[in-house]
Amino acid sequence: SLQTPIVAYKPQQFELTLNLKKFEPIGLFVKELRIPEGAILNGKFDSDSNISTINGFARAIQYRKIKANNLIVDESTEDNQMNIFLTSDRIDLTDSIFLKNVNVANILRNDSLSLNIKLSDKDANNQLDLNGLVEFSADSLAKLNILPSDVVLNRETWRIQEKVNIRFNEGKTLITNFGLYRGKQLITADGTISSDPNDLLKLGFRQFELTTLNPLTKAMGIRLKGEMNGETGLRALSGKMRFDSDLKIDSLDYNDNFIGDLNLGADYDNDSKLASLNMGITNRGIKSLDIQGTYDADPARDQLDLDVYLDNSPVIILEPFIKNLVSDLKGNLSSNLKVSGKPSNPQINGNVSLNNVSMTVNYLKTNYRINQQLGVNQSILDLNDLRIRDINNNEALANGSIDMSNPNNPTINVTLVANNFMALNTTPKDNSSYYGTAYSTGVFSFDGPTDNMSINIDAKTEAGTVFNIPLNSAEKVSEVDFIQFVGSDSSKRLRKENFFKGLSMNFSLSVDEASEANIYTSLGRLNGRGKGDLSLNISSLGDFSMFGDYLISEGKFEFTAKDYINKVFDISQGGSIRWTGDPTAATINLAASYGVRTSLSPLYVAAGLSPDESRVQAEAIMNLSGNLLRPDISFGLNFPTNSYVKDQLQGYLNDVNNVNQQALSLIVRRSFTPGNGSVTIDKQINTTVISAGTEIAFNQLNNLLSQSLNLNFVDLNIRSLNEASASFRLLNDRLVLTGGVTDRRAINDFDVIGNEVARDFEASYLIKKDGSLVLRASNRLGNRNSLTITNQEYVSAIGLVYRRDFDNFGEFINQLIGKERREERLKQSLEKNKKRP
């Protein structure tokens, strides 16, 4: 329905205003034209004064799939000419291709039309500033001359050469002398566009740089280099098209990998639906690729018939087909293949040789190397004892098959038997559930297509394995600027990237003491070595579950409290962590000790006893139990080299509150507290701040030194300005040498001046690898007047330590009474008798 108020009417003069509420398409031309409500058209015509003006606006106008948004029409007349200006914010050509900021200016004068078309603004990567002149004459419908114009492609300015002539006549478009050039690069077009198979359009390329195409191929992960020359002929372009081409690309480079010189000859006949291909690549004088054959594009047949020969071709040419599975392809490929069948399901037969081929498995971030010949039968790549080597030259044998029937999504059924093989090499960016470097011995199986694969691993870890489980990842992310906030528009959603993307993984790991585990919690990092049988399962949606027990034999607990307290505890042997599904709901049961050499005087004062000026090794014990993220914490005190202290302070230390107070003071301030006001609050605050600050700084220094020096057998531990120690692990960790220095001349927390530098040393040797029998020797400063030992003398000691674990009390009793030893001797005797002839 139209509202059309006529303001004035004469045979030569009128004004009108159209407010469009609803437009029903009428007629053949406009049957697919759509104009929504809200379009406005104002006009004025006066033949006496030669005045004609039209102004219009429409939020959107759509013809078929082409849609113009915010279209403005402005028409006016002057002496002997008419001006028409069209502007649109955006014109959508398809669902994914559009033009922004379109401006068209037309000036109609006598028998010609001058036009200027501008696309995009001056800061866009791609722009067009086209000038043209349309001439109307009696011998043809129209003739378009393109005047010097600019085209900006990926911020590179191209020029359209002068004297380009385009004519339209009887359904044909005739193009003469079209040239688009930039420096030495030139693209030409000459010929006729029509449905007549006798009409030919030639496209030519001279020194055309392939880097110009990279903005179009970037989304596919493809970067090209090289120079293209040659010609392509197109016939019946608007009908049953035929084409032939003869192109050459010099120095083709694919993703920074040199391929060679490419020659491409091809033709296609739309009548017979038959395409012929002759493509070759020459690399340093050797023909590395040769593809010859045909493709019958008739839907009733749809058949390939190609011979593919490769001679040490770069394997990178296969990347588009296997990029979902592997990346960083290097090495060369040789093959003699016959390709037949349909393109959607090709049948490939022949053989393939992998020559020093290396690749990185995307899901594991592990790099492997292969040198072997493989057979291909009906698009199935057979793997028979395929030898795969990791970056340390350790080997795994692979058996199974890879089905390449669907080249874009191959199906893999492969089993690997590995020995000390790198099975994981990920970082938190790759997988936030767990990450690290893993060396394993066991069986690895891969089943399914690359976009929905199941990986199963049953293995034991080997030396060098470092496994990280960040259970505090959610809290850490919230503390930094990784969260982006959007407006209230409910259509906007933050997408969480799923690392697995259809992949499911099941790990059955037997962990031994040669492997290191790092578990990050809100309380700090647990770093340790131990034993355990763990099962880790990850679904295709990224859900992570974990089962098993991890028994800690040694380790450290970096206790942190909002970065104000940073203390490193030694984990006592026998601690355990149990998972029953949810990784964050693990159960912990361990004791960790924080040791420091300090004065006993404040502790004796707090207990109401006479001060003891001795400086001894004291330990604050932190017992953690219950939920791993929210454990129950209790404290204790221990004096490993001075057991008499507990005896003398038994009454005072029987009070839990006293123990907690002194343990916390030892952890935070590195000294005991007298607890009776003999030291001022200012003094306590000052020493606490200095102690906490220096220890945080030295903990960071320790981490920096260990990472930069990369000495796996050295453990540095600088605790403060006057205390440091170092441990050296030799002979495959069987010999451990530990030495420490404490400057007792420094003024301590309560102005008691020491009088010498204490130097401690300890050596331990595992007589048995399992640690059940250990030889220890030490030289420590004496801390108690006893017999002939004075406070200034060192005590040297040597001894044997025997340890044996029992699963229950019954085993312990059997060992004591000798039953178990008799059974072992009987078993050994029977084995010896079997070996006798």
Side-chain angles (χ1 to χ4, degrees):
S1 60
L2 301 175
Q3 293 182 351
T4 313
I6 299 176
V7 178
Y9 176 77
K10 292 181 181 180
Q12 297 85 16
Q13 180 180 356
F14 69 87
E15 295 182 13
L16 62 83
T17 300
L18 303 179
N19 292 315
L20 184 61
K21 289 188 174 180
K22 185 177 182 182
F23 178 77
E24 293 292 342
I26 57 175
L28 180 63
F29 177 73
V30 295
K31 67 178 182 179
E32 295 188 55
L33 184 64
R34 298 288 183 270
I35 303 177
E37 182 179 351
I40 298 174
L41 181 66
N42 297 307
K44 180 180 180 180
F45 175 75
D46 188 340
S47 60
D48 292 339
S49 304
N50 290 327
I51 295 176
S52 173
T53 61
I54 298 175
N55 305 103
F57 170 78
R59 287 188 294 107
I61 291 181
Q62 184 170 352
Y63 179 69
R64 295 184 179 178
K65 290 187 176 181
I66 300 176
K67 181 180 179 182
N69 300 277
N70 295 326
L71 178 66
I72 298 175
V73 180
D74 189 1
E75 180 273 337
S76 63
T77 58
E78 299 178 8
D79 292 340
N80 300 320
Q81 73 178 39
M82 176 185 290
N83 305 316
I84 302 175
F85 300 95
L86 303 173
T87 64
S88 174
D89 290 350
R90 169 170 166 155
I91 296 179
D92 296 305
L93 303 179
T94 67
D95 293 337
S96 58
I97 300 176
F98 59 87
L99 305 172
K100 294 181 67 177
N101 300 327
V102 178
N103 295 272
V104 181
N106 301 276
I107 300 175
L108 182 62
R109 182 187 302 112
N110 298 327
D111 293 331
S112 65
L113 173 67
S114 299
L115 62 89
N116 174 260
I117 301 175
K118 285 186 170 66
L119 304 180
S120 298
D121 55 59
K122 63 180 181 180
D123 295 325
N125 290 341
N126 302 293
Q127 305 168 41
L128 173 65
D129 188 356
L130 178 67
N131 298 296
L133 176 66
V134 181
E135 296 177 309
F136 303 95
S137 59
D139 62 341
S140 64
L141 180 61
K143 181 172 65 175
L144 172 62
N145 295 295
I146 298 179
L147 305 177
S149 305
D150 290 338
V151 179
V152 178
L153 301 175
N154 193 32
R155 296 192 179 276
E156 294 181 348
T157 301
W158 292 69
R159 300 280 295 177
I160 298 177
Q161 63 187 14
E162 298 182 26
K163 298 180 181 180
V164 177
N165 184 278
I166 301 175
R167 292 194 301 159
F168 308 93
N169 189 19
E170 297 180 356
K172 296 184 178 183
T173 302
L174 292 83
I175 303 175
T176 305
N177 200 38
F178 175 85
L180 182 65
Y181 66 93
R182 170 181 169 82
K184 295 181 180 180
Q185 301 182 71
L186 177 64
I187 302 174
T188 62
D190 283 283
T192 303
I193 299 175
S194 73
S195 59
D196 189 340
N198 295 316
D199 290 333
L200 173 66
L201 176 67
K202 290 185 177 181
L203 299 178
F205 301 89
R206 189 182 74 190
Q207 295 182 326
F208 178 74
E209 299 290 342
L210 295 183
T211 52
T212 306
L213 302 177
N214 285 341
L216 301 177
T217 61
K218 182 179 179 181
M220 298 180 287
I222 296 175
R223 301 184 308 279
L224 298 173
K225 295 178 184 177
E227 184 180 281
M228 183 165 64
N229 295 276
E231 192 174 79
T232 295
L234 303 171
R235 297 179 184 272
L237 188 59
S238 61
K240 294 183 177 181
M241 184 185 67
R242 296 177 59 185
F243 78 85
D244 60 81
S245 66
D246 184 11
L247 299 173
K248 181 179 180 180
I249 300 177
D250 296 323
S251 302
L252 175 62
D253 187 285
Y254 178 90
N255 287 359
D256 298 325
N257 290 272
F258 180 76
I259 303 298
D261 298 330
L262 182 146
N263 289 278
L264 174 63
D267 63 77
Y268 174 72
D269 187 343
N270 200 35
D271 287 333
S272 63
K273 303 294 184 182
L274 188 66
S276 299
L277 176 66
N278 182 0
M279 185 175 75
I281 293 178
T282 303
N283 189 340
R284 297 177 178 88
I286 300 175
K287 196 167 187 178
S288 59
L289 171 66
D290 184 33
I291 301 177
Q292 296 189 26
T294 61
Y295 168 53
D296 191 341
D298 190 308
R301 295 183 292 271
D302 192 25
Q303 288 291 311
L304 291 166
D305 185 9
L306 299 173
D307 293 308
V308 181
Y309 171 79
L310 295 98
D311 184 10
N312 271 331
S313 294
V315 73
I316 190 68
I317 62 177
L318 299 180
E319 186 179 51
F321 307 107
I322 56 177
K323 63 182 179 181
N324 290 333
L325 179 64
V326 298
S327 58
D328 194 24
L329 288 167
K330 296 179 181 177
N332 298 310
L333 180 71
S334 298
S335 72
N336 189 0
L337 300 172
K338 181 72 174 180
V339 182
S340 59
K342 300 179 182 297
S344 59
N345 186 21
Q347 299 300 306
I348 306 173
N349 294 277
N351 58 74
V352 175
S353 294
L354 304 177
N355 306 320
N356 203 31
V357 171
S358 66
M359 66 197 74
T360 297
V361 179
N362 293 337
Y363 302 125
L364 306 176
K365 298 300 179 185
T366 48
N367 188 269
Y368 301 129
R369 189 176 71 259
I370 305 173
N371 275 292
Q372 200 156 330
Q373 179 172 314
L374 307 173
V376 184
N377 183 24
Q378 297 297 307
S379 300
I380 297 177
L381 194 65
D382 295 321
L383 308 183
N384 296 313
D385 288 339
L386 175 66
R387 298 181 181 275
I388 304 175
R389 298 183 181 276
D390 63 13
I391 58 175
N392 298 316
N393 212 32
N394 295 322
E395 190 175 84
L397 288 179
N399 287 277
S401 64
I402 301 176
D403 190 345
M404 299 290 295
S405 298
N406 182 0
N408 293 322
N409 192 24
T411 299
I412 299 176
N413 289 283
V414 176
T415 299
L416 274 77
V417 178
N419 182 27
N420 196 19
F421 198 64
M422 177 178 278
L424 191 70
N425 190 31
T426 54
T427 67
K429 293 181 179 179
D430 303 317
N431 174 14
S432 60
S433 298
Y434 67 89
Y435 60 92
T437 302
Y439 296 92
S440 302
T441 296
V443 179
F444 304 71
S445 66
F446 304 81
D447 297 290
T450 56
D451 64 350
N452 189 24
M453 184 182 296
S454 175
I455 298 180
N456 295 279
I457 299 176
D458 186 0
K460 65 179 289 292
T461 60
E462 300 287 357
T465 297
V466 179
F467 209 65
N468 302 281
I469 304 176
L471 301 181
N472 64 337
S473 58
E475 177 179 342
K476 291 297 182 185
V477 168
S478 65
E479 292 177 356
V480 294
D481 297 332
F482 291 159
I483 298 177
Q484 299 178 1
F485 294 92
V486 299
S488 58
D489 185 356
S490 60
S491 65
K492 295 182 179 179
R493 292 290 185 269
L494 288 175
R495 296 183 59 189
K496 181 180 179 182
E497 184 72 15
N498 179 15
F499 166 73
F500 297 94
K501 299 176 183 177
L503 172 74
S504 61
M505 293 177 134
N506 297 299
F507 285 73
S508 295
L509 295 178
S510 176
V511 184
D512 63 12
E513 294 181 346
S515 304
E516 179 181 335
N518 293 307
I519 302 172
Y520 297 86
T521 72
S522 56
L523 293 177
R525 177 173 74 109
L526 281 81
N527 164 261
R529 298 176 183 269
K531 298 179 180 180
D533 293 313
L534 303 177
S535 175
L536 300 93
N537 306 309
I538 300 179
S539 72
S540 59
L541 299 176
D543 298 324
F544 178 34
S545 59
M546 190 169 177
F547 301 87
D549 294 309
Y550 183 66
L551 304 178
I552 303 173
S553 57
E554 64 174 9
K556 295 184 181 299
F557 174 38
E558 296 180 8
F559 175 66
T560 58
K562 296 299 180 182
D563 293 329
Y564 295 110
I565 300 176
N566 188 315
K567 303 291 181 177
V568 179
F569 286 72
D570 293 318
I571 299 177
S572 303
Q573 185 176 9
S576 67
I577 304 174
R578 167 171 289 187
W579 285 273
T580 57
D582 184 356
T584 62
T587 302
I588 188 173
N589 184 13
L590 62 82
S593 63
Y594 174 79
V596 62
R597 187 181 294 275
T598 187
S599 172
L600 288 175
S601 179
L603 183 61
Y604 275 73
V605 171
L609 301 176
S610 299
D612 186 335
E613 302 299 341
S614 301
R615 292 178 64 88
V616 302
Q617 185 70 21
E619 293 179 345
I621 309 299
M622 180 186 293
N623 298 294
L624 305 175
S625 61
N627 186 279
L628 178 59
L629 295 186
R630 297 175 299 276
D632 297 324
I633 301 176
S634 62
F635 294 97
L637 288 175
N638 188 32
F639 303 90
T641 59
N642 304 82
S643 58
Y644 69 90
V645 176
K646 275 194 171 183
D647 295 335
Q648 294 181 346
L649 302 177
Q650 183 176 6
Y652 176 76
L653 296 180
N654 281 338
D655 190 326
V656 175
N657 293 327
N658 293 337
V659 173
N660 290 340
Q661 180 186 25
Q662 296 297 346
L664 287 172
S665 178
L666 193 64
I667 293 171
V668 176
R669 302 173 61 248
R670 304 183 70 250
S671 64
F672 294 113
T673 177
N676 58 1
S678 61
V679 178
T680 65
I681 295 296
D682 291 343
K683 186 70 173 179
Q684 294 191 38
I685 293 176
N686 183 54
T687 57
T688 300
V689 171
I690 293 176
S691 174
T694 55
E695 188 142 9
I696 291 174
F698 282 117
N699 285 342
Q700 299 301 322
L701 177 62
N702 291 331
N703 293 333
L704 180 63
L705 289 175
S706 62
Q707 293 172 6
S708 60
L709 295 178
N710 195 25
L711 300 177
N712 296 326
F713 61 94
V714 179
D715 182 15
L716 300 174
N717 187 12
I718 305 174
R719 300 295 294 271
S720 66
L721 293 170
N722 63 335
E723 184 176 351
S725 64
S727 295
F728 297 85
R729 297 182 297 276
L730 308 174
L731 303 179
N732 293 326
D733 292 348
R734 295 187 69 174
L735 176 61
V736 180
L737 305 177
T738 303
V741 176
T742 302
D743 188 356
R744 301 178 70 231
R745 293 171 297 184
I747 299 177
N748 66 18
D749 295 338
F750 300 98
D751 297 331
V752 178
I753 301 178
N755 52 14
E756 68 177 56
V757 177
R759 294 172 293 273
D760 291 343
F761 174 79
E762 180 179 305
S764 62
Y765 178 74
L766 302 182
I767 298 177
K768 289 190 174 183
K769 286 186 178 181
D770 60 2
S772 60
L773 185 60
V774 181
L775 174 65
R776 284 183 178 173
S778 63
N779 185 44
R780 298 181 181 276
L781 183 67
N783 295 296
R784 178 76 173 169
N785 290 328
S786 174
L787 300 177
T788 60
I789 302 175
T790 69
N791 210 28
Q792 308 299 320
E793 294 180 350
Y794 282 82
V795 177
S796 298
I798 188 171
L800 287 174
V801 178
Y802 177 74
R803 185 190 73 188
R804 178 142 186 190
D805 299 330
F806 300 98
D807 293 331
N808 53 60
F809 186 72
E811 288 186 12
F812 175 66
I813 295 299
N814 289 335
Q815 180 66 20
L816 287 180
I817 64 177
K819 178 180 178 182
E820 187 170 332
R821 281 178 291 180
R822 288 195 300 271
E823 291 177 350
E824 287 182 0
R825 286 196 295 269
L826 178 60
K827 183 178 179 181
Q828 293 174 358
S829 177
L830 292 174
E831 290 178 352
K832 288 181 180 179
N833 291 332
K834 288 180 181 180
K835 295 180 181 179
R836 292 176 181 176

